[in-house]
Amino acid sequence: MLHIGCHLSAAKGYYHMGQEALKVGADTLQYFTRNPRGASAKKVDPEDIKKFVDLMEEHHFAKIVAHAPYTLNACSKDEHLRALAKRMMAEDLETLDYLPGNYYNFHPGSHVGQGIEAGIGYICEALNEVLRADQKTTVLLETMAGKGSEVGSRFEELRSIIDGVEKSDKLGVCLDTCHVSDAGYDIIHDLDGVLNEFDRVIGLDRLKAVHLNDSMNVTGAHKDRHAKIGEGEIGVEAITRIINHPALRDLPFNLETPNDLEGYAAEIKLLRGLYEA
């Protein structure tokens, strides 16, 4: 079965968000844990979350993905911003204990001229402070496009982060199809080769979720501009191979395409039709 969802908002509550997922034909979803361009988080309502968990169980949802805000930069030059990143991550993981067994995805960050090694060092430092032995959530490092001074556009960079974290059993990876293509991995013509490289460097057992996006740019552009499914450079044929690949087909896929709910519903219907049961 294709486990597919899209990016939704929890602003009106978790239960409402779950209902929206069902309306678009989804059986998983992704949402921001707080204001994506800020730092404020909505107060937790345990009863609302319980209703959401019950809804997920009733409709057999796959694991869902909570996405950290874009403002979280664990390898910033600014010590105060690094401290803010740690605080946001710690708070988010505490909230996610109400949703046990799911995923928390974050962009590794931008080293802002300090260099990849320094950036990786700060990311490892943050994760070593924040990760808890008793946490109920797996933290996902997202593959990045390599725009500017982003960390995480190469599989080796993600491997270095994993190797530098003491509680690495709490870490996984989320593969973003737009990002990985923009980073220079040819998922259009050599998906097997890319996944073999991922397995060699990181290990496919670490791959927990996929952001399913087309790209407005050609492979290796390092731009990070998502496109609707079939309207970008990756295309429907390559995306069909992605959702049906033996190493990927059972993972939760989440759309981050530039869409409203009606557009997401149409894409989910399209992709379900392309999935080989």
Side-chain angles (χ1 to χ4, degrees), residues 112-131:
V112 202
Q114 300 173 98
I116 288 289
E117 286 188 12
I120 288 172
Y122 281 132
I123 295 163
C124 293
E125 177 186 298
L127 290 168
N128 281 327
E129 283 191 34
V130 168
L131 297 185

Side-chain angles (χ1 to χ4, degrees), residues 44-63:
V44 176
D45 179 352
E47 184 57 34
D48 176 50
I49 293 182
K50 184 182 181 304
K51 284 175 63 181
F52 175 52
V53 170
D54 290 344
L55 186 75
M56 288 196 299
E57 290 178 355
E58 179 186 352
H59 293 277
H60 308 290
F61 271 47
K63 291 180 184 293

Side-chain angles (χ1 to χ4, degrees), residues 8-245:
L8 297 170
S9 171
K12 294 182 179 178
Y14 286 84
Y15 182 69
H16 180 269
M17 178 174 66
Q19 289 178 311
E20 286 196 324
L22 293 174
K23 286 178 184 176
V24 298
D27 68 345
T28 183
L29 59 86
Q30 177 177 272
Y31 70 99
F32 280 117
T33 57
R34 56 185 68 219
N35 182 345
R37 302 290 180 184
S40 61
K42 187 178 178 182
K43 187 177 179 181
V44 176
D45 179 352
E47 184 57 34
D48 176 50
I49 293 182
K50 184 182 181 304
K51 284 175 63 181
F52 175 52
V53 170
D54 290 344
L55 186 75
M56 288 196 299
E57 290 178 355
E58 179 186 352
H59 293 277
H60 308 290
F61 271 47
K63 291 180 184 293
I64 65 169
V65 179
H67 199 304
Y70 297 132
T71 49
L72 191 156
N73 186 5
C75 59
S76 172
K77 267 186 177 180
D78 188 320
E79 182 181 351
H80 296 291
L81 291 179
R82 295 199 303 272
L84 175 64
K86 294 173 191 175
R87 178 176 64 79
M88 288 194 289
M89 290 179 73
E91 290 175 355
D92 287 348
L93 288 173
E94 187 175 341
T95 298
L96 283 164
D97 281 343
Y98 288 99
L99 290 163
N102 290 292
Y103 299 133
Y104 179 63
N105 179 78
F106 80 105
H107 294 182
S110 295
H111 62 73
V112 202
Q114 300 173 98
I116 288 289
E117 286 188 12
I120 288 172
Y122 281 132
I123 295 163
C124 293
E125 177 186 298
L127 290 168
N128 281 327
E129 283 191 34
V130 168
L131 297 185
R132 315 183 325 262
D134 66 340
Q135 72 184 47
K136 302 170 184 177
T137 301
T138 299
V139 175
L140 305 184
L141 304 166
E142 183 171 341
T143 59
M144 302 308 295
K147 179 178 64 176
S149 61
E150 283 180 341
V151 178
S153 66
R154 309 308 301 167
F155 296 156
E156 289 80 4
E157 294 169 15
L158 299 179
R159 178 77 250 180
S160 292
I161 295 170
I162 293 166
D163 287 343
V165 174
E166 295 164 8
K167 297 181 179 65
S168 62
D169 60 307
K170 303 294 185 184
L171 293 179
V173 174
C174 176
L175 187 147
D176 185 301
T177 55
C178 170
H179 293 178
V180 82
S181 177
D182 278 26
Y185 292 99
D186 191 358
I187 59 171
I188 302 169
H189 304 104
D190 190 21
L191 179 60
D192 281 337
V194 173
L195 292 174
N196 286 339
E197 180 71 359
F198 186 100
D199 192 32
R200 182 185 69 81
V201 176
I202 298 175
L204 281 168
D205 59 317
R206 295 273 185 184
L207 185 52
K208 304 297 185 183
V210 177
H211 285 164
L212 193 64
N213 304 302
D214 213 324
S215 174
M216 293 179 67
N217 300 286
V218 297
T219 301
H222 303 293
K223 295 286 187 181
D224 186 12
R225 294 188 67 193
H226 298 189
K228 295 177 182 179
I229 301 300
E231 296 185 14
E233 296 292 336
I234 297 175
V236 170
E237 286 187 17
I239 286 171
T240 301
R241 288 193 289 272
I242 289 167
I243 63 174
N244 286 291
H245 194 282

